[in-house]
Every structure is written in C-alpha cells, then in structure tokens.
Amino acid sequence: MVDAVLDECHRPLRGGLDRIAATIRLPDGTEARLFAQLPDKLRAIVGREPFLAIGDRVVRLAEGDAGDANADDAARVLRLRSLLDAATLGPLHRATACRRVGPATFDVEQPDGSTTRLELRAGTLLPQSFANARGIVNLREHFRTPANTWIVTRAELDGLGSCAVQFEFADLAWDTDFFALPRERATKPDRARMQMPLASGEPRSTVPVLVDFKAAQRVVVDDPGTWSERAAIYAPLHTEVERQDQQIAGFPQLWTENGRRRLGLCFRRRVDGPEFARPDGWNVMAVPEGKWLVVYPANGDVDAKIAAGTAALEAGLTELGLRATGPITSQPFLHLQEGAPDAAKLEAPVVRVAVPVR
C-alpha cells in the first residue's frame, strides 16, 4: 500500500522530499519559513524568531546568544516540524513495513521502531491523516499538479490549527554544519551566519553578496510579457522536466538578452538520475558553475523589486570590481506551474535578482 500511495502522489518526487524548504502560514497570519532534514532536523524562522530543532531539543538563535527555547516556543517549533513531515508524506517515504488495520487504515512502521497510523480518504489513495505519539496531522487540501503529483496545500494539527503549506524547494544539499547545534559565544557572531539560507547556505541578503552556483541547464523561451501568458507557457515546460525526473532548480527566471525578453526554467539532473532528453524544438542551454552576485530587494511589488535589484547589482559590480558574464536575471518566488499569480501574490513576493560574475 505504501508504494501505491507514493506512486499516486509523489512518483517523480521520491528520494528528495526529506531535504526541503517550505513556508507555513498559521491561522493568525504568522509565517514560518522552514528548512528541514526530515524527520528530526529543522531550522525555522517563526515570524522573525529563528530556531533550530534537533530531535526533541529546540534552540532559539539570537544575535550574541543561543540557548534553549522556552516551552511554548519549543512546542510550536516541534509541531511545525510534525506538520511539515506529514505534509511531505514523510512516514511513507521512510516506511519499513505496513499493515492494514481497517478498510482505509494502515499502521506504517518507521526506521526507529515506532508506528505511524495512516488514514486514507475513502475510495482514494490520498492520505487523510497521520497519527503518532506527537499527535494527529489532518491533511485538509491536496493540489493536483501538472506533473500528476498530489501536493498537500493545507494541513491541521492541534496547537497550530489549520495551516497553509507551500513547498519552495526539495532535494536540497545542506551544508554539513547547517543543522549543527551552535556553541555558546561570548562575542557577537557574524550576522550573516544567523540569516536563514534559501538553499545550500545562500542568505536572503538585501545587499549584493557572492554565492556559489552549481552547474545546471536552462530551458529558454521568449517572455510573452504578462503573467497569465507566462504561466501558460511555463506550466508544460515544468511538467515535462518533472516527467523526466529532473530536479527543478528554483523559480522561473526572467531576463533581457540582446534586446529580447526571456523566460527560463532552470533544472539539474538528479544524482544517479536519467539524462534529460531534449524534446524537439526546445532551446536548452548549459549554465556553468561559478560565482553569482545575488540580492533580495526588501520593499515594493514584483516590478519594483526587480528594478531595485537590477540597480543594486549594477552598482555592486562596480563597487566590487567584478565583471558580469551574463545578463541579470530575476526570480520572483511564484509557482507559475500552478497558474497565473493573483494581484495579492504580485504585491510583495520574495524576489531573487542575480548575475554571473568573474
């Protein structure tokens, strides 16, 4: 049964959802940004408070200090981890055995010897809830993606309530010390170390910073100019790349090159995964590894942030004595594969603006 559910919900995603970045919005509007190595490691920003959870211990991270979180904060962080683990169907991805105990109820054994109870929606292969010693997580809403996967978009757990769930990245490669417990320090730590990374250590810096980029490929099409047209073009590209079991490397990219506005989808071959077979008519280009100058503008709507980020990088190139080796690209954190974003999503999204340099 475990394989049947995973084939129905997560066939192209198997093997990477334990290393994930996601955003959870609580019923009171609080936003929690989560960076996890499931099932037991989590870094989180809840509101503006940063935490690190390893096993049952939760540490609050703060400038000049690091110590155990208070009981309420610790309980909330652990609940967020439990909710995220259930939303990724983690107990199924880790299952060592499964036993039917009812028409749609199964006991799923875990590597640590514990058991998680799975309840399916009647007549379907969609998980309805996971129950274990940490509580019952009810999966309230699932979204059917163009790649024919089912992704949880709303989940509920006592102590948190009904929460919106949005996955940002999966199959991440965390730095080796990313989840290490911090040492107590008498001196003030480097501020950059206390910023939560997007992936592999990249900070969401409001001033230009240099980051390492791992080689990738990019599907390139002409940018039609409107978000509805972009979504219509981007969605089938995303579907085909996922169908070929490639790792999507970030959000859609926008840039201008030789006077032409372009739209791109960046991806990488998975470790031991299949090579990408370029469909007829596709323009697929290599993006080499190297250094990129990156900035996350703080204020404004999507257009304002793209403009501000472009200006900041142009100034940063001069100040740092760097030379651009390609065009400036912008990546609003928008899920175009799910359709055109509404006005609210365009009002204040996260936007990554970057340029390759030497």
Side-chain angles (χ1 to χ4, degrees):
M1 179 54 68
V2 167
D3 282 339
V5 174
L6 290 177
D7 280 348
E8 172 68 14
C9 298
H10 285 175
R11 180 188 289 270
L13 305 175
R14 296 178 73 164
L17 285 180
D18 59 333
R19 305 177 304 281
I20 194 161
T23 298
I24 292 178
R25 186 174 295 276
L26 283 78
D28 64 1
T30 299
E31 189 172 90
R33 289 170 49 208
L34 308 181
F35 306 82
Q37 175 77 58
L38 297 170
D40 60 343
K41 299 180 179 67
L42 178 75
R43 294 189 72 165
I45 297 177
V46 184
R48 295 191 176 186
E49 298 294 326
F51 299 93
L52 169 64
I54 304 291
D56 291 329
R57 184 181 180 189
V58 179
V59 172
R60 182 180 180 277
L61 306 174
E63 289 187 32
D65 189 21
D68 288 335
N70 64 46
D72 289 342
D73 285 341
R76 182 160 66 163
V77 170
L78 293 178
R79 290 188 185 108
L80 285 167
R81 189 179 65 189
S82 294
L83 186 140
L84 179 64
D85 189 41
T88 63
L89 312 189
L92 299 186
H93 287 277
R94 296 188 301 273
T96 58
C98 179
R99 180 171 61 92
R100 184 189 292 269
V101 294
T105 306
F106 302 83
D107 280 346
V108 182
E109 293 184 17
Q110 300 297 291
D112 64 1
S114 65
T115 298
T116 295
R117 177 152 293 185
L118 164 68
E119 188 79 26
L120 297 178
R121 291 187 180 183
T124 77
L125 287 173
L126 293 182
Q128 178 170 287
S129 67
F130 288 101
N132 57 29
R134 294 193 179 275
I136 302 174
V137 178
N138 292 296
L139 307 180
R140 296 301 189 189
E141 296 178 12
H142 298 254
F143 172 75
R144 185 67 164 175
T145 74
N148 296 321
T149 59
W150 288 100
I151 300 298
V152 174
T153 57
R154 183 165 292 276
E156 184 177 33
L157 174 63
D158 284 349
L160 293 179
S162 180
C163 302
V165 181
Q166 186 171 60
F167 299 116
E168 306 291 358
F169 294 97
D171 201 15
L172 298 171
W174 301 118
D175 289 340
T176 55
D177 62 348
F178 183 50
F179 296 106
L181 288 170
R183 295 178 180 144
E184 298 291 335
R185 297 183 181 182
T187 58
K188 185 176 180 179
D190 178 7
R191 288 178 61 90
R193 286 188 172 272
M194 303 311 295
Q195 292 180 301
M196 292 302 295
L198 168 67
S200 300
E202 180 175 303
R204 292 186 183 184
S205 175
T206 56
V207 297
V209 294
L210 282 171
V211 303
D212 291 317
F213 180 83
K214 188 169 73 170
Q217 297 185 75
R218 181 163 60 192
V219 185
V220 180
V221 297
D222 286 328
D223 175 22
T226 69
W227 290 108
S228 59
E229 291 172 314
R230 287 166 179 161
I233 291 174
Y234 182 85
L237 302 179
H238 191 280
T239 297
E240 176 61 19
V241 171
E242 279 201 334
R243 187 191 70 79
Q244 292 200 35
D245 195 26
Q246 305 296 304
Q247 177 187 348
I248 304 295
F251 289 87
Q253 298 179 334
L254 297 167
W255 71 96
T256 299
E257 190 169 19
N258 298 324
R260 297 175 67 180
R261 294 190 306 178
R262 309 290 258 169
L263 170 66
L265 182 158
C266 208
F267 68 93
R268 297 185 180 95
R269 177 186 177 186
R270 297 183 186 278
V271 176
D272 299 326
E275 293 279 2
F276 183 72
R278 181 176 63 83
D280 290 342
W282 278 40
N283 180 13
V284 180
M285 58 184 294
V287 185
E289 68 177 5
K291 295 288 186 182
W292 284 61
L293 194 63
V294 176
V295 68
Y296 290 78
N299 301 310
D301 61 14
V302 62
D303 291 330
K305 286 183 175 179
I306 290 174
T310 299
L313 291 182
E314 289 173 345
L317 289 170
T318 300
E319 293 171 4
L320 297 172
L322 298 171
R323 187 178 126 193
T325 60
I328 293 175
T329 64
S330 60
Q331 288 179 283
F333 281 26
L334 301 170
H335 296 268
L336 293 187
Q337 71 274 17
E338 298 176 4
D342 58 25
K345 290 182 179 178
L346 295 173
E347 185 176 351
V350 174
V351 178
R352 179 185 190 267
V353 190
V355 61
V357 299
R358 68 180 181 195

